Amino acid sequence: MSENPDQTERSNYSSIDRVLHEPARMQITALLYMLESADYTFVMNQTGLTWGNLSAHLTKLEEAGYLHIEKSFKGKRPLTMLRLTDQGRDAFRAYAKNMRSLFDNFPV
Amino acid sequence: MNSVLNLKEIEKRAFRSTYQDGLWDIYYGLVVISMGFFIYHPKTGYSWINIAMMVGSLLIAYSLFYLGKKFITFPRLGQVVFGETRKQKKRLMILFISIVVSFQVLLLLATAFGWKLGFSEGRLNEHLLVSLIASLIVYAGMTIITYFSDFLRGFYISFLMALAVFLMVYFNQIIYAVAIGLIIVIPGIVLLVRFLYRYPLIKIEDHHE
């Protein structure tokens, strides 16, 4: 039995990862995808996000299991290291693949 | 945010951001100035005082660099561990440096043997040859480091370092090392000041993420 085209289209849309589909979170994930790990300050400087804004997005990524946050101290300064989990890396790759396939036949 | 998500460009930009503090420029400039202490004195040769001064000034240059990174850059720019792309480039850099250094050692040995056997007499200006070889050694090594470490300012620094070595060895004058060292250091200081303005220190109490 062939699949209904409408159903296929709907399933393509629903396969979009909503956690990653937010520009700021995609920016954070793209950066961390290319790095082994980085601290909070580095990610903030690279993305241009404010402290609070970044914090909110990181919480969402952590809740989705995409981000590992490790808090420690370096001397007297708190150090928050951020690293994408394997699940996060897989999700980012899958997201990129989905987005490419979604616009495959887009008339330009 | 850029409209095009170029991951390689994101990584490169993140890596290059670590050079914004100008500390590498200051360090390389001080290294060039330090080399001036190692100048050959025609009458006395190389003195131990000169060697000690050079080693001492190199240690000071490195300490300044290390402390600057630790107390100025990291608290402001943050800390980062780069991924496999960068590690691969580092491995390639070490490989190329090893090849170039091996070649340079062979060149030096060949030159030394050539002099010992008198091949160069009457044909080449020894002093000019030594100056050229020394500057080429510096230039080749520095250019490779610059290329693989994506340190764009490193290309003109490599050229200036090689020029400093050439002039210093050829004219046997410390002033060339000092002048060229300062030409490298000054932009570094300007960059450092700009960096301090651009990245103010984030207070510890703000770390309640």
Side-chain angles (χ1 to χ4, degrees), chain B residues 116-172:
Chain B
K116 203 171 179 185
L117 297 172
F119 289 157
S120 65
E121 275 174 30
R123 272 187 279 172
L124 285 167
N125 181 334
E126 272 184 32
H127 215 64
L128 179 67
L129 189 66
V130 171
S131 314
L132 278 172
I133 290 172
S135 60
L136 278 175
I137 285 173
V138 171
Y139 187 68
M142 275 301 295
T143 310
I144 289 171
I145 293 171
T146 296
Y147 175 76
F148 283 103
S149 53
D150 273 319
F151 179 42
L152 295 181
R153 294 193 305 280
F155 286 108
Y156 86 79
I157 291 176
S158 309
F159 174 75
L160 286 175
M161 280 178 110
L163 185 68
V165 169
F166 176 79
L167 294 173
M168 199 180 80
V169 176
Y170 191 70
F171 293 109
N172 227 23

Side-chain angles (χ1 to χ4, degrees), chain B residues 12 16-18 24 26-27 49 53 70 73 75 78 86-87 94 107 110 120 143 148-149 152 155 164 182 206:
Chain B
K12 202 179 260 186
R16 283 181 182 164
S17 73
T18 60
W24 275 109
I26 295 171
Y27 173 67
I49 297 167
M53 278 171 79
K70 189 175 179 181
T73 310
R86 208 46 61 178
K87 284 175 188 164
I94 291 167
L107 184 72
S120 65
T143 310
F148 283 103
S149 53
L152 295 181
F155 286 108
L182 285 175
D206 290 343

Side-chain angles (χ1 to χ4, degrees), chain A residues 23 26-27 30-31 33-42 44-46 51 55 71 74 76-78 80, chain B residues 1 5 7 10-11 13-14 17 75-83 85 87 199 202 204 206-207 209:
Chain A
M26 192 165 63
Q27 200 183 0
L31 174 68
Y33 185 80
M34 294 307 287
L35 307 173
E36 201 172 292
S37 61
D39 78 352
Y40 201 94
T41 312
F42 189 83
M44 193 180 77
N45 283 325
Q46 289 295 313
W51 199 266
S55 182
K71 291 182 182 184
K74 194 161 190 181
K76 286 180 180 176
R77 289 184 71 86
T80 308
Chain B
M1 199 171 114
L5 194 64
L7 293 178
I10 288 171
E11 195 270 348
R13 203 170 48 231
S17 73
R76 287 171 168 82
L77 196 68
Q79 297 195 36
V80 57
V81 182
F82 286 92
T85 317
K87 284 175 188 164
Y199 297 100
I202 297 160
I204 291 173
D206 290 343
H207 279 251
E209 68 270 14

